[in-house]
């Protein structure tokens, strides 16, 4: 049993004295683990960093075995490590992919968006991209949200809330006295203008609510990954004037 693919490293852990077990999110084979012989060496440790883009060749005697990887570096994203916010974003992406995706199940559309987001971490102003990425993650998990029109009136105007049960938008007038029971729908998720820190916080509260529902069978009563919570905490500390600076 063998295949070859490209992907991003999302986790690394020691295996014995000289090897490592890595998880790679690949284009055609999804989230896939394997042993890297010599992965604990100084040379390989520099390659096997979360976020690194690699070429991997997997081999095993039987398909159900963990198997082994031969890894060749394609692109380092080490620049992310120099910025606290960017590093928190990287850790959140890797942790969410690890927690949300079934092992060895292809998700080519999510893979493409994930690589775009990992590359965006090296540029300013990426938090709105992360927020939209969580929406795509929900799509992949079968919890697509619908912001196209009001669930009650069918209107496309003044959409301001989302039903926490259905994931469908509700406009301000239709919400009425029920507004306090609905989730705020920030304009950034409707493609309206730049995102303020408040909008990012509201958007992540919205996606977090539905991610908890979508991942409930996997979480077994546990919260979403700590890495996501740390990202939200760092984002909350940034000012409105310079929300995404170091």
């Amino acid at each position: 049993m063998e295949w070859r693919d490209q992907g991003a490293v999302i986790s690394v852990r020691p295996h014995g004295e000289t090897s490592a077990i890595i998880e790679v999110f690949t284009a055609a084979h999804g989230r896939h683990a394997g042993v890297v012989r010599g992965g604990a060496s100084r040379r390989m440790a520099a390659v096997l960093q979360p976020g690194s883009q690699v070429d991997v060749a997997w081999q095993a005697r039987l398909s159900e075995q963990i198997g082994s990887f031969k890894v060749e570096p394609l692109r380092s994203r080490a620049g992310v490590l120099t910025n606290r916010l960017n590093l928190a974003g990287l850790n959140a992406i890797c942790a969410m992919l690890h927690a949300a995706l079934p092992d060895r199940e292809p998700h080519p559309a999510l893979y493409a968006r994930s690589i775009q987001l990992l590359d965006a971490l090296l540029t300013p102003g990426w938090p709105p991209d992360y927020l939209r990425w969580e929406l795509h993650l929900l799509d992949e998990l079968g919890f697509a949200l619908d912001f196209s029109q009001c669930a009650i009136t069918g209107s496309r105007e003044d959409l301001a809330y989302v039903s926490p049960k259905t994931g469908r938008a509700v406009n301000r007038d239709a919400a009425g006295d029920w507004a306090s029971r609905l989730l705020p729908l920030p304009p950034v998720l409707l493609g309206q203008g730049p995102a303020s820190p408040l909008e990012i916080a509201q958007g992540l509260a919205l996606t977090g609510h539905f991610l908890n529902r979508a991942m409930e069978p996997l979480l077994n009563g546990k919260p979403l990954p700590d890495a996501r919570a740390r990202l939200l905490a760092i984002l909350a500390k940034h000012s409105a004037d310079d929300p995404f600076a170091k």
Side-chain angles (χ1 to χ4, degrees):
M1 304 296 298
E2 58 184 86
W3 52 259
R4 187 168 185 170
D5 204 349
Q6 293 185 11
V9 177
I10 60 174
S11 74
V12 183
R13 66 181 189 269
H15 180 67
E17 295 184 359
T18 62
S19 299
I21 293 177
I22 68 169
E23 275 191 330
V24 182
F25 185 35
T26 66
H29 299 86
R31 180 177 65 84
H32 205 294
V35 177
V36 180
R37 309 296 178 190
S41 70
R42 182 175 298 181
R43 182 184 72 84
M44 288 304 298
V47 174
L48 303 180
Q49 293 291 324
S52 294
Q53 196 75 10
V54 292
D55 182 280
V56 290
W58 179 83
Q59 188 174 36
R61 189 170 62 87
L62 300 173
S63 61
E64 60 267 24
Q65 293 177 326
I66 188 171
S68 61
F69 278 135
K70 291 183 179 179
V71 180
E72 295 294 334
L74 294 176
R75 183 165 72 258
S76 171
R77 296 187 173 93
V80 170
L81 306 180
T82 64
N83 180 288
R84 185 167 175 250
L85 175 59
N86 296 353
L87 178 58
L90 170 63
N91 289 338
I93 295 164
C94 292
M96 291 301 292
L97 289 171
H98 171 78
L101 298 184
D103 190 32
R104 305 186 180 191
E105 183 178 286
H107 291 271
L110 180 64
Y111 171 80
R113 292 187 178 274
S114 298
I115 297 306
Q116 290 172 1
L117 178 57
L118 288 170
D119 289 338
L121 293 178
L122 299 172
T123 63
W126 56 263
D129 296 327
Y130 176 85
L131 173 57
R132 286 184 282 267
W133 176 82
E134 286 201 341
L135 286 178
H136 290 293
L137 179 58
L138 281 166
D139 287 349
E140 295 287 328
L141 298 177
F143 272 73
L145 307 185
D146 182 3
F147 307 147
S148 61
Q149 62 184 30
C150 176
I152 299 172
T153 66
S155 170
R156 299 178 184 273
E157 303 299 323
D158 201 19
L159 301 176
Y161 302 100
V162 175
S163 165
K165 293 184 178 181
T166 67
R168 298 184 63 189
V170 180
N171 74 8
R172 201 175 307 275
D173 288 342
D177 295 338
W178 290 86
S180 62
R181 303 186 185 186
L182 304 176
L183 299 169
L185 175 57
V188 65
L189 291 182
L190 299 172
Q192 298 173 2
S196 69
L198 175 60
E199 288 185 33
I200 294 295
Q202 289 177 334
L204 290 171
L206 175 66
T207 55
H209 171 82
F210 290 101
L211 283 167
N212 269 301
R213 285 180 55 187
M215 295 170 60
E216 185 177 5
L218 302 171
L219 295 172
N220 292 319
K222 297 178 181 178
L224 294 172
D226 290 343
R228 184 182 187 273
R230 287 193 292 271
L231 172 61
L232 269 61
I234 292 173
L235 286 170
K237 292 180 180 179
H238 287 264
S239 69
D241 293 333
D242 193 13
F244 307 132
K246 183 176 178 182

